[in-house]
Amino acid sequence: MQKLVQEIKSIFANHDDFFIQEEHFKQTAIFLIGFNTMIDFTHSNLYIRQMAKMSASVNELFTNLSDQLDVDLEQIIKAILDGKLVLLSECNRNALLVPISRKLSRSIDEPKNESIIQGPLNAFGEDIDINLGMIRKWLGTERLCHCSHQIGQLTKRRISMLYIKGKAPIALIEKVDRLLKQIESDIVTIDDLNKHFGQHKFNPISYLFSTEIPIQAIDSLKKNRVVLFLDNYPCALVFPHLFLDMLTTVNDRNFPIGLSLLIRALRGLGALATLILPALYVALTSVNPDVLKIDLALFISKSREGIPLTPIVETLTMVVLVDLIIEAILRLPKSVGPTITMVGGIILGQAMVDAKLVSNLLVIVVTAMLIANSSVVGVQNSLYIRALKYPILILASVYGILGLFTGLTFVCIYLASLTSCDIAYMTFRIEGKGDTI
Amino acid sequence: MKINSYVRIIVALISLILLSGCWDIKEIDKRNFPLIIGISKENKEEYKVSLHIPTSEKGGKMSRTVSQKGTNVSSILGQLRTNIEDAVYYKQVRLIIIQNKLANDKEDLSELIKFLMKSKELPSIALIAITEENIEKMFSNINGKHFSHTTSIIDYFYKGADWAPEISTTRIWEVYRSLFSYTKDIAIPVVNSGKDTILNYEGAAILKNGKITEKINPSENQFVILFKNHNANGIIENLGNASIMVTNSSLKIKPSMLTSEPIVSSNLSLKIDILERKEGVTNDQIQSKLEKQFKKQFYDMLDKAQKNKTDIFGFGQHFRNQIPFHELKNWREEYYPNLKVNFQVHVIIE
């Protein structure tokens, strides 16, 4: 017996938070083994003592405490790593006990990155079981299928795949299942997962749409898609990611149909405005002023009076600065953020115009673009739309209005060419395989 | 191999920027947009071209005038481009004013119209007008008015049909077309600088194959426009004991040919609003007086036009499919003097 204890001890020799506590029960020594960073030892010990009082023998105690008895060394080591309490007795018996653990995950919270108007406020957290539980609770049907994978080389990470049987296409389910099984390396980020799903290195559009909101995930399930959960990742990953995710959320439908259509049209307009506005400014001020109505041309000409920078340099400066500000605000601590934003806003808006570095009109255009950009759903979507405006801007500065439309056409062609698992990105809805169970 | 292809793409993109010529693009504030071009003839050989260019200075003058003399218009436009500080783009020209002396000369005028039409720089949709004054004086009069802004002269012509039914807006391509047309003559507005307003509308000059045959006054011109647009909205008519405004109108023209004698029956129905009337004047009186007055005005004009052999109403257009093509060139000489028009007016008081 001592041999087994010594072996475990030597495996965890480099762990200072590892403990082996010796207890005596009816003249038999029992070893309690585990990590004290994961186990609330005092309370767990108290619980075992209370159980011991009620049990007649060591054997009885073990059966009372746990149903995982007499397992091999490998399983013991895994159980220790998972934060379980292992009991070893002198007479070669062991038990894996689910102890009173330290609180290492947060409870159900409100969504942080997606704001909800009129809708349930629960958001996914880091604990995968809680996330799955939420889905189970809200979608109480036996057709909801769940299959779980352990993936990774160094650490095994849990990935759960959810789908509704009879809705999601079988080909899709099988393909995702196969892809997940093939993964051998560690999955740390969404991008790692994307790579395994076959994403090209320079493709800015993720194959997975992450959402924090349970009803959004449930809605995706109902629309014949597959939802993945990664442990310690507080989002559901909807596969495949479609273009319409940028324009619609399930919460829109809490409004009357007319209003929800209006909201969605505005989001589309916002995406388009982000792509077009800066390019249009450059095209109209430098290459094709002759398409303007004369009053407008004179007005623009007046607003650009005395500005030394060329429109493209001017616009690039402003657009890059604005993107920098957004990036900076995300990184800054919440207490400093507003101050920096305010100062930055004043300097960019007022001082740059007063110093005649950029024109009034450009400030208006860039602000409009920035606000329009924020109207689309999902942070990753607004980010890639922001990235796609640069090629259009460059083309517009070279070829004017013609370049703008060429750029826009190329963006459309590119988006239309994207597929994930043979489902086009521009698809409006995924055909289910029919409503058979 | 893979790196190689990226390098190729980058080189292609860089050369795209270099080859496209975007380094010598002129920004909008480095361009000049002349809005009005005035063309006059000083003596037999010499043309004078004046440009009316809006400036974007804050305060001070809103526009400036630049003039140049030379032997022909295209070379003057080229010289102006050389002499003006910024790049000059003639694409935004909205109005071309031709001085009376030049307009009266048939050959010079047709040559000028042909040039204006064929020049790639000048837009063929620019309006055309004739003035009896010195063009530079006219431009300085526009600048001198404290209420005028850069585009007020454009606004003057683009008021819209209902607001100024007398002003005809004639474009270069229409004048060019009328140079070669057998069946239609065209009216060009005549303007002079006004005392209190930037321009004063004097009526229209009727152009027949590039030659000015007669001048008509504004109230006559509204008839010409009525037959051109089939619409007389906004006309205000003084009947002596009442005055009315036309609120809605429709004109139907039906041409017919009786053994080489063309007959047109045209029905004009008007909806009118009575603006003011003297005591005791009944609706019936107004109706019959208006009908009579419209008919009289029309027949007076038609008589005059038929004597001049100038088809100002464009009746010939309606017979183009009834007269053989080789005969069409005789429209003005043979058919038009014999034209009978049965003009009916129906007035409805709202």
Side-chain angles (χ1 to χ4, degrees), chain A residues 76-123:
Chain A
I76 289 174
I77 290 166
K78 192 175 177 304
I80 291 168
L81 283 172
D82 282 349
K84 285 183 181 164
L85 187 63
V86 176
L87 270 68
L88 287 176
S89 76
E90 270 180 334
C91 46
N92 262 346
R93 296 218 57 184
N94 62 42
L96 310 182
L97 177 65
V98 179
I100 297 167
S101 56
R102 288 186 188 276
K103 213 169 154 42
L104 290 176
S105 61
R106 62 193 162 100
S107 55
I108 294 168
D109 218 340
E110 280 185 28
K112 293 280 188 298
N113 297 324
E114 289 170 73
S115 51
I116 293 170
I117 303 166
Q118 293 187 0
L121 284 175
N122 288 355

Short mmCIF file of all heavy atoms in Angstrom, two decimals, chain A residues 76-123:
data_model
loop_
_atom_site.label_atom_id
_atom_site.label_comp_id
_atom_site.label_asym_id
_atom_site.label_seq_id
_atom_site.Cartn_x
_atom_site.Cartn_y
_atom_site.Cartn_z
N ILE A 76 -6.66 7.25 -11.07
CA ILE A 76 -6.44 8.01 -9.84
C ILE A 76 -5.76 9.34 -10.16
O ILE A 76 -6.17 10.40 -9.71
CB ILE A 76 -5.58 7.20 -8.83
CG1 ILE A 76 -6.42 6.04 -8.28
CG2 ILE A 76 -5.08 8.09 -7.69
CD1 ILE A 76 -5.64 5.10 -7.40
N ILE A 77 -4.71 9.26 -11.00
CA ILE A 77 -3.96 10.47 -11.35
C ILE A 77 -4.86 11.47 -12.08
O ILE A 77 -4.88 12.65 -11.78
CB ILE A 77 -2.73 10.10 -12.21
CG1 ILE A 77 -1.71 9.38 -11.34
CG2 ILE A 77 -2.10 11.34 -12.81
CD1 ILE A 77 -0.64 8.68 -12.10
N LYS A 78 -5.69 10.95 -12.98
CA LYS A 78 -6.59 11.84 -13.72
C LYS A 78 -7.60 12.50 -12.78
O LYS A 78 -7.90 13.70 -12.89
CB LYS A 78 -7.33 11.04 -14.80
CG LYS A 78 -8.06 11.93 -15.78
CD LYS A 78 -8.68 11.18 -16.90
CE LYS A 78 -9.45 12.11 -17.81
NZ LYS A 78 -10.45 12.89 -17.11
N ALA A 79 -8.08 11.70 -11.84
CA ALA A 79 -9.06 12.22 -10.89
C ALA A 79 -8.45 13.33 -10.03
O ALA A 79 -9.08 14.35 -9.76
CB ALA A 79 -9.58 11.10 -10.01
N ILE A 80 -7.17 13.13 -9.66
CA ILE A 80 -6.50 14.16 -8.86
C ILE A 80 -6.39 15.45 -9.66
O ILE A 80 -6.68 16.54 -9.17
CB ILE A 80 -5.09 13.68 -8.42
CG1 ILE A 80 -5.23 12.55 -7.39
CG2 ILE A 80 -4.28 14.82 -7.81
CD1 ILE A 80 -3.94 11.82 -7.11
N LEU A 81 -6.01 15.30 -10.95
CA LEU A 81 -5.87 16.49 -11.81
C LEU A 81 -7.21 17.18 -12.04
O LEU A 81 -7.28 18.38 -12.22
CB LEU A 81 -5.27 16.08 -13.17
CG LEU A 81 -3.77 15.82 -13.16
CD1 LEU A 81 -3.35 15.25 -14.49
CD2 LEU A 81 -3.00 17.08 -12.85
N ASP A 82 -8.29 16.39 -12.02
CA ASP A 82 -9.61 16.98 -12.23
C ASP A 82 -10.15 17.65 -10.97
O ASP A 82 -11.24 18.20 -10.98
CB ASP A 82 -10.60 15.90 -12.69
CG ASP A 82 -10.41 15.56 -14.15
OD1 ASP A 82 -9.68 16.32 -14.82
OD2 ASP A 82 -10.98 14.56 -14.61
N GLY A 83 -9.40 17.53 -9.88
CA GLY A 83 -9.84 18.19 -8.66
C GLY A 83 -10.68 17.31 -7.76
O GLY A 83 -11.50 17.81 -7.00
N LYS A 84 -10.52 16.01 -7.89
CA LYS A 84 -11.28 15.11 -7.02
C LYS A 84 -10.43 14.74 -5.81
O LYS A 84 -9.20 14.85 -5.82
CB LYS A 84 -11.70 13.86 -7.77
CG LYS A 84 -12.85 14.15 -8.72
CD LYS A 84 -13.31 12.90 -9.41
CE LYS A 84 -14.44 13.23 -10.38
NZ LYS A 84 -14.68 12.17 -11.32
N LEU A 85 -11.11 14.28 -4.79
CA LEU A 85 -10.40 13.83 -3.59
C LEU A 85 -10.29 12.31 -3.66
O LEU A 85 -11.28 11.62 -3.89
CB LEU A 85 -11.19 14.25 -2.34
CG LEU A 85 -10.55 14.02 -1.00
CD1 LEU A 85 -9.27 14.83 -0.85
CD2 LEU A 85 -11.53 14.40 0.11
N VAL A 86 -9.05 11.80 -3.49
CA VAL A 86 -8.84 10.35 -3.60
C VAL A 86 -8.59 9.79 -2.21
O VAL A 86 -7.81 10.33 -1.44
CB VAL A 86 -7.65 10.04 -4.52
CG1 VAL A 86 -7.38 8.54 -4.56
CG2 VAL A 86 -7.93 10.56 -5.91
N LEU A 87 -9.32 8.74 -1.90
CA LEU A 87 -9.14 8.07 -0.62
C LEU A 87 -8.43 6.73 -0.85
O LEU A 87 -8.83 5.94 -1.70
CB LEU A 87 -10.50 7.80 0.04
CG LEU A 87 -11.05 8.88 0.96
CD1 LEU A 87 -11.41 10.13 0.19
CD2 LEU A 87 -12.24 8.35 1.73
N LEU A 88 -7.35 6.50 -0.12
CA LEU A 88 -6.66 5.21 -0.19
C LEU A 88 -6.63 4.61 1.21
O LEU A 88 -6.36 5.31 2.18
CB LEU A 88 -5.22 5.39 -0.67
CG LEU A 88 -4.97 5.73 -2.14
CD1 LEU A 88 -3.48 5.97 -2.36
CD2 LEU A 88 -5.46 4.61 -3.02
N SER A 89 -6.94 3.35 1.25
CA SER A 89 -6.86 2.71 2.58
C SER A 89 -5.70 1.73 2.62
O SER A 89 -5.19 1.31 1.56
CB SER A 89 -8.17 2.00 2.88
OG SER A 89 -8.23 0.80 2.15
N GLU A 90 -5.30 1.38 3.79
CA GLU A 90 -4.18 0.44 3.96
C GLU A 90 -4.46 -0.89 3.28
O GLU A 90 -3.60 -1.50 2.69
CB GLU A 90 -3.91 0.20 5.45
CG GLU A 90 -2.92 1.18 6.01
CD GLU A 90 -2.70 0.90 7.48
OE1 GLU A 90 -3.60 0.32 8.13
OE2 GLU A 90 -1.64 1.24 7.98
N CYS A 91 -5.73 -1.30 3.39
CA CYS A 91 -6.06 -2.61 2.84
C CYS A 91 -6.41 -2.55 1.35
O CYS A 91 -7.41 -3.13 0.91
CB CYS A 91 -7.19 -3.24 3.64
SG CYS A 91 -8.53 -2.08 3.95
N ASN A 92 -5.55 -1.75 0.65
CA ASN A 92 -5.60 -1.77 -0.82
C ASN A 92 -6.95 -1.41 -1.45
O ASN A 92 -7.31 -1.94 -2.48
CB ASN A 92 -5.16 -3.14 -1.35
CG ASN A 92 -3.72 -3.07 -1.77
OD1 ASN A 92 -3.17 -1.96 -1.89
ND2 ASN A 92 -3.09 -4.21 -1.94
N ARG A 93 -7.69 -0.58 -0.78
CA ARG A 93 -8.91 -0.14 -1.43
C ARG A 93 -8.77 1.34 -1.74
O ARG A 93 -8.06 2.06 -1.05
CB ARG A 93 -10.10 -0.36 -0.49
CG ARG A 93 -10.36 -1.81 -0.17
CD ARG A 93 -11.84 -2.06 -0.10
NE ARG A 93 -12.51 -1.70 -1.33
CZ ARG A 93 -13.83 -1.77 -1.46
NH1 ARG A 93 -14.58 -2.15 -0.44
NH2 ARG A 93 -14.41 -1.47 -2.58
N ASN A 94 -9.43 1.78 -2.76
CA ASN A 94 -9.40 3.22 -2.99
C ASN A 94 -10.79 3.70 -3.45
O ASN A 94 -11.63 2.90 -3.85
CB ASN A 94 -8.34 3.62 -4.00
CG ASN A 94 -8.57 3.00 -5.37
OD1 ASN A 94 -9.71 2.96 -5.82
ND2 ASN A 94 -7.51 2.49 -5.97
N ALA A 95 -11.00 5.01 -3.34
CA ALA A 95 -12.28 5.60 -3.76
C ALA A 95 -12.02 7.01 -4.29
O ALA A 95 -11.17 7.72 -3.77
CB ALA A 95 -13.24 5.65 -2.59
N LEU A 96 -12.73 7.33 -5.35
CA LEU A 96 -12.63 8.70 -5.89
C LEU A 96 -13.84 9.46 -5.40
O LEU A 96 -14.99 9.07 -5.65
CB LEU A 96 -12.62 8.68 -7.42
CG LEU A 96 -11.61 7.73 -8.07
CD1 LEU A 96 -11.68 7.88 -9.59
CD2 LEU A 96 -10.21 8.02 -7.59
N LEU A 97 -13.61 10.52 -4.73
CA LEU A 97 -14.69 11.23 -4.07
C LEU A 97 -14.84 12.62 -4.68
O LEU A 97 -13.86 13.31 -4.92
CB LEU A 97 -14.34 11.33 -2.57
CG LEU A 97 -15.28 12.08 -1.66
CD1 LEU A 97 -16.62 11.36 -1.60
CD2 LEU A 97 -14.69 12.14 -0.27
N VAL A 98 -16.08 12.99 -4.96
CA VAL A 98 -16.31 14.37 -5.42
C VAL A 98 -16.42 15.24 -4.17
O VAL A 98 -17.35 15.11 -3.41
CB VAL A 98 -17.60 14.48 -6.25
CG1 VAL A 98 -17.82 15.91 -6.69
CG2 VAL A 98 -17.50 13.56 -7.45
N PRO A 99 -15.41 16.05 -3.94
CA PRO A 99 -15.35 16.76 -2.67
C PRO A 99 -16.12 18.08 -2.72
O PRO A 99 -16.67 18.44 -3.76
CB PRO A 99 -13.87 17.02 -2.52
CG PRO A 99 -13.43 17.25 -3.93
CD PRO A 99 -14.30 16.44 -4.81
N ILE A 100 -16.13 18.77 -1.59
CA ILE A 100 -16.60 20.15 -1.61
C ILE A 100 -15.47 20.96 -2.21
O ILE A 100 -14.38 21.07 -1.65
CB ILE A 100 -16.92 20.62 -0.19
CG1 ILE A 100 -18.06 19.78 0.38
CG2 ILE A 100 -17.29 22.09 -0.19
CD1 ILE A 100 -18.25 19.93 1.85
N SER A 101 -15.70 21.46 -3.44
CA SER A 101 -14.59 22.09 -4.15
C SER A 101 -14.58 23.59 -3.90
O SER A 101 -15.59 24.18 -3.52
CB SER A 101 -14.69 21.79 -5.64
OG SER A 101 -15.93 22.22 -6.09
N ARG A 102 -13.43 24.14 -4.14
CA ARG A 102 -13.34 25.61 -4.09
C ARG A 102 -14.11 26.18 -5.27
O ARG A 102 -14.19 25.60 -6.33
CB ARG A 102 -11.88 26.04 -4.18
CG ARG A 102 -11.11 25.74 -2.94
CD ARG A 102 -9.71 26.33 -3.04
NE ARG A 102 -8.92 25.86 -1.90
CZ ARG A 102 -8.96 26.46 -0.71
NH1 ARG A 102 -9.74 27.52 -0.54
NH2 ARG A 102 -8.24 26.01 0.27
N LYS A 103 -14.64 27.39 -5.06
CA LYS A 103 -15.45 28.00 -6.11
C LYS A 103 -14.52 28.59 -7.17
O LYS A 103 -13.88 29.61 -6.94
CB LYS A 103 -16.32 29.08 -5.50
CG LYS A 103 -17.66 29.22 -6.18
CD LYS A 103 -18.55 30.13 -5.36
CE LYS A 103 -19.60 30.83 -6.15
NZ LYS A 103 -20.30 30.13 -7.15
N LEU A 104 -14.38 27.93 -8.32
CA LEU A 104 -13.45 28.40 -9.34
C LEU A 104 -14.15 28.91 -10.59
O LEU A 104 -13.51 29.34 -11.52
CB LEU A 104 -12.50 27.25 -9.73
CG LEU A 104 -11.49 26.87 -8.67
CD1 LEU A 104 -10.69 25.69 -9.12
CD2 LEU A 104 -10.58 28.02 -8.32
N SER A 105 -15.46 28.81 -10.64
CA SER A 105 -16.14 29.36 -11.81
C SER A 105 -17.25 30.29 -11.34
O SER A 105 -17.79 30.13 -10.26
CB SER A 105 -16.72 28.23 -12.65
OG SER A 105 -17.64 27.51 -11.89
N ARG A 106 -17.56 31.24 -12.22
CA ARG A 106 -18.58 32.21 -11.82
C ARG A 106 -19.96 31.68 -12.14
O ARG A 106 -20.12 30.75 -12.94
CB ARG A 106 -18.34 33.54 -12.50
CG ARG A 106 -18.42 33.51 -14.00
CD ARG A 106 -17.86 34.78 -14.58
NE ARG A 106 -17.55 34.62 -15.98
CZ ARG A 106 -18.35 35.05 -16.95
NH1 ARG A 106 -19.46 35.67 -16.68
NH2 ARG A 106 -18.02 34.87 -18.21
N SER A 107 -20.93 32.29 -11.51
CA SER A 107 -22.29 31.83 -11.75
C SER A 107 -22.86 32.52 -12.99
O SER A 107 -22.18 33.28 -13.65
CB SER A 107 -23.15 32.15 -10.53
OG SER A 107 -23.06 33.52 -10.26
N ILE A 108 -24.10 32.24 -13.29
CA ILE A 108 -24.72 32.79 -14.50
C ILE A 108 -24.79 34.31 -14.40
O ILE A 108 -25.22 34.86 -13.39
CB ILE A 108 -26.11 32.19 -14.69
CG1 ILE A 108 -25.98 30.70 -14.97
CG2 ILE A 108 -26.84 32.87 -15.84
CD1 ILE A 108 -27.26 29.97 -14.90
N ASP A 109 -24.32 34.94 -15.42
CA ASP A 109 -24.15 36.39 -15.41
C ASP A 109 -24.94 37.01 -16.54
O ASP A 109 -25.55 36.32 -17.34
CB ASP A 109 -22.65 36.69 -15.58
CG ASP A 109 -22.24 37.86 -14.73
OD1 ASP A 109 -23.12 38.63 -14.35
OD2 ASP A 109 -21.04 37.97 -14.44
N GLU A 110 -24.88 38.34 -16.62
CA GLU A 110 -25.49 39.01 -17.76
C GLU A 110 -24.47 39.08 -18.90
O GLU A 110 -23.27 39.10 -18.64
CB GLU A 110 -25.88 40.43 -17.37
CG GLU A 110 -27.17 40.48 -16.60
CD GLU A 110 -27.61 41.88 -16.31
OE1 GLU A 110 -27.26 42.78 -17.10
OE2 GLU A 110 -28.29 42.08 -15.30
N PRO A 111 -24.93 39.13 -20.13
CA PRO A 111 -23.96 39.19 -21.24
C PRO A 111 -23.13 40.47 -21.19
O PRO A 111 -23.64 41.54 -20.85
CB PRO A 111 -24.83 39.16 -22.49
CG PRO A 111 -26.21 39.43 -22.04
CD PRO A 111 -26.31 39.07 -20.62
N LYS A 112 -21.85 40.33 -21.50
CA LYS A 112 -20.96 41.48 -21.42
C LYS A 112 -20.74 42.13 -22.78
O LYS A 112 -20.63 43.34 -22.90
CB LYS A 112 -19.59 41.03 -20.89
CG LYS A 112 -19.60 40.56 -19.45
CD LYS A 112 -19.58 41.76 -18.52
CE LYS A 112 -19.39 41.31 -17.08
NZ LYS A 112 -20.47 40.46 -16.59
N ASN A 113 -20.66 41.33 -23.83
CA ASN A 113 -20.31 41.88 -25.14
C ASN A 113 -21.49 42.07 -26.06
O ASN A 113 -21.38 42.69 -27.10
CB ASN A 113 -19.29 40.97 -25.83
CG ASN A 113 -18.01 40.91 -25.05
OD1 ASN A 113 -17.59 41.91 -24.48
ND2 ASN A 113 -17.41 39.75 -25.00
N GLU A 114 -22.60 41.49 -25.69
CA GLU A 114 -23.79 41.70 -26.51
C GLU A 114 -24.84 42.33 -25.63
O GLU A 114 -25.07 41.86 -24.52
CB GLU A 114 -24.30 40.36 -27.05
CG GLU A 114 -23.40 39.77 -28.11
CD GLU A 114 -23.77 38.34 -28.45
OE1 GLU A 114 -24.80 38.15 -29.09
OE2 GLU A 114 -23.05 37.44 -28.05
N SER A 115 -25.45 43.40 -26.09
CA SER A 115 -26.47 44.00 -25.24
C SER A 115 -27.84 43.60 -25.76
O SER A 115 -28.05 43.46 -26.97
CB SER A 115 -26.32 45.52 -25.22
OG SER A 115 -26.24 46.00 -26.52
N ILE A 116 -28.71 43.39 -24.81
CA ILE A 116 -30.02 42.86 -25.16
C ILE A 116 -31.08 43.88 -24.80
O ILE A 116 -31.06 44.44 -23.70
CB ILE A 116 -30.27 41.55 -24.39
CG1 ILE A 116 -29.32 40.48 -24.87
CG2 ILE A 116 -31.70 41.10 -24.53
CD1 ILE A 116 -29.32 39.28 -24.03
N ILE A 117 -31.96 44.13 -25.72
CA ILE A 117 -33.11 44.96 -25.42
C ILE A 117 -34.30 44.03 -25.38
O ILE A 117 -34.56 43.30 -26.34
CB ILE A 117 -33.33 46.04 -26.50
CG1 ILE A 117 -32.07 46.88 -26.62
CG2 ILE A 117 -34.51 46.91 -26.15
CD1 ILE A 117 -32.04 47.74 -27.86
N GLN A 118 -35.00 44.03 -24.28
CA GLN A 118 -36.18 43.19 -24.14
C GLN A 118 -35.90 41.74 -24.47
O GLN A 118 -36.23 41.27 -25.55
CB GLN A 118 -37.30 43.68 -25.07
CG GLN A 118 -37.85 45.01 -24.69
CD GLN A 118 -39.05 45.37 -25.51
OE1 GLN A 118 -39.47 44.61 -26.38
NE2 GLN A 118 -39.63 46.51 -25.23
N GLY A 119 -35.27 41.06 -23.55
CA GLY A 119 -35.02 39.64 -23.78
C GLY A 119 -34.42 39.07 -22.53
O GLY A 119 -34.02 39.83 -21.63
N PRO A 120 -34.34 37.76 -22.44
CA PRO A 120 -33.74 37.15 -21.26
C PRO A 120 -32.29 37.56 -21.11
O PRO A 120 -31.55 37.63 -22.10
CB PRO A 120 -33.88 35.66 -21.50
CG PRO A 120 -34.21 35.52 -22.93
CD PRO A 120 -34.83 36.77 -23.39
N LEU A 121 -31.85 37.79 -19.88
CA LEU A 121 -30.53 38.38 -19.67
C LEU A 121 -29.46 37.36 -19.30
O LEU A 121 -28.35 37.75 -18.97
CB LEU A 121 -30.63 39.45 -18.58
CG LEU A 121 -31.27 40.75 -19.03
CD1 LEU A 121 -31.43 41.70 -17.87
CD2 LEU A 121 -30.46 41.40 -20.12
N ASN A 122 -29.79 36.07 -19.32
CA ASN A 122 -28.77 35.09 -18.98
C ASN A 122 -27.70 35.02 -20.05
O ASN A 122 -27.99 35.14 -21.23
CB ASN A 122 -29.39 33.70 -18.84
CG ASN A 122 -30.22 33.60 -17.60
OD1 ASN A 122 -30.25 34.54 -16.81
ND2 ASN A 122 -30.89 32.49 -17.43
N ALA A 123 -26.46 34.81 -19.61
CA ALA A 123 -25.38 34.64 -20.58
C ALA A 123 -24.59 33.40 -20.23
O ALA A 123 -24.61 32.95 -19.08
CB ALA A 123 -24.47 35.85 -20.56
#
